[in-house]
Amino acid sequence: MNKSKRPFTKSKRSFRRRLPPIQSGDRIDYRNISLISRFISEQGKILSRRVNRVTLKQQRLITIAIKQARILSLLPFLNNQKQFER
């Protein structure tokens, strides 16, 4: 039973720190469609917090802003264009 004598070592992978999707100067608002549309999938669904890489507070504000924009018809509720392109 002669196992390698090297102790457990973590692999030293270099990783690039991802930039946050929302900068401190950005206002999360229903009128800021260019910002809000980044957090919506192709089908029109709101992406999860893990996918977005935002804080819980930011995700709540994004969700409220998206829902307000949908009600005011600034954003579509659904995006079913792929179904009709057969």
Side-chain angles (χ1 to χ4, degrees), residues 34-51:
S34 61
L35 177 72
I36 288 175
S37 58
R38 283 191 259 163
F39 303 106
I40 299 177
S41 69
E42 289 182 12
Q43 292 84 28
K45 294 181 179 180
I46 301 172
L47 294 173
S48 70
R49 198 179 134 225
R50 268 192 275 156
V51 175

Side-chain angles (χ1 to χ4, degrees), residues 11-83:
S11 62
K12 293 187 178 181
R13 288 188 298 167
S14 64
F15 66 95
R16 203 179 102 232
R17 191 159 183 178
R18 292 186 67 136
L19 294 171
I22 300 176
Q23 273 68 36
S24 59
D26 289 339
R27 294 272 302 140
I28 302 172
D29 198 11
Y30 68 92
R31 290 170 285 185
N32 196 350
I33 300 299
S34 61
L35 177 72
I36 288 175
S37 58
R38 283 191 259 163
F39 303 106
I40 299 177
S41 69
E42 289 182 12
Q43 292 84 28
K45 294 181 179 180
I46 301 172
L47 294 173
S48 70
R49 198 179 134 225
R50 268 192 275 156
V51 175
N52 289 339
R53 290 211 158 99
V54 292
T55 63
L56 182 61
K57 192 173 184 179
Q58 288 172 334
Q59 181 70 19
R60 282 198 198 114
L61 291 170
I62 289 166
T63 305
I64 291 167
I66 289 171
K67 289 177 180 178
Q68 286 176 338
R70 284 175 175 170
I71 290 168
L72 294 170
S73 69
L74 299 173
L75 285 174
F77 278 93
L78 294 173
N79 191 4
N80 290 336
Q81 290 178 352
K82 284 193 173 180
Q83 289 180 349

Side-chain angles (χ1 to χ4, degrees), residues 3-16:
K3 291 187 179 180
S4 63
K5 296 185 178 187
R6 192 177 356 156
F8 293 107
T9 57
K10 284 187 178 179
S11 62
K12 293 187 178 181
R13 288 188 298 167
S14 64
F15 66 95
R16 203 179 102 232

